[in-house]
Amino acid sequence: QVQLVESGGGLVQPGGSLRLSCAASGSFFGIEYMRWYRQAPGKERELVAAISSGGATNYADSVKGRFTISRDNAKNTVYLQMNSLKPEDTAVYYCNADLVTVVTSNYWGKGTLVTVSS
């Protein structure tokens, strides 16, 4: 059974940094796009960053210059380095990926909470 498991969330002060990880496990042939979404209380889920299998990236305007998405294909893992964190970055962060099995299907992790507060 394919699953995505996030880690690295927690409480951090404004201006601080966190690094999120998401590892894919199970039986699959490969991973195409990997993404990070977030959902703040009372708000809709939004795309934060995405990375292709070849390493092309894109970011939400709100995180450009502060967040960096990367991936380790050998470990089937995607990372989100978050710097200069702001209170408005507080949210549950979800990993999302397109995994290739018999067909290519989209999977979600269960999320990890990031709280930015003094």
Side-chain angles (χ1 to χ4, degrees):
Q1 182 176 355
V2 174
Q3 61 176 351
L4 301 175
V5 179
E6 302 99 334
S7 61
L11 174 64
V12 63
Q13 292 186 343
S17 298
L18 278 177
R19 188 193 196 204
L20 305 183
S21 300
C22 170
S25 62
S27 181
F28 50 90
F29 299 119
I31 306 175
E32 297 181 351
Y33 267 91
M34 304 186 82
R35 309 170 187 88
W36 287 98
Y37 284 79
R38 68 184 180 187
Q39 187 166 21
K43 295 188 176 181
E44 293 187 354
R45 193 171 297 188
E46 63 173 350
L47 177 65
V48 175
I51 185 167
S52 71
S53 57
T57 60
N58 64 278
Y59 297 92
D61 288 343
S62 59
V63 306
K64 281 182 182 176
R66 299 188 298 122
F67 290 10
T68 302
I69 189 171
S70 61
R71 62 191 286 172
D72 184 332
N73 292 328
K75 295 182 179 180
N76 296 320
T77 298
V78 63
Y79 305 98
L80 186 68
Q81 178 66 44
M82 305 185 294
N83 298 328
S84 302
L85 283 161
K86 305 175 181 180
E88 51 263 44
D89 295 317
T90 295
V92 177
Y93 283 72
Y94 296 91
C95 178
N96 175 275
D98 300 324
L99 273 65
V100 181
T101 55
V102 177
V103 296
T104 299
S105 300
N106 188 256
Y107 292 86
W108 289 91
K110 293 183 178 180
T112 185
L113 177 62
V114 172
T115 302
V116 184
S117 175
S118 55

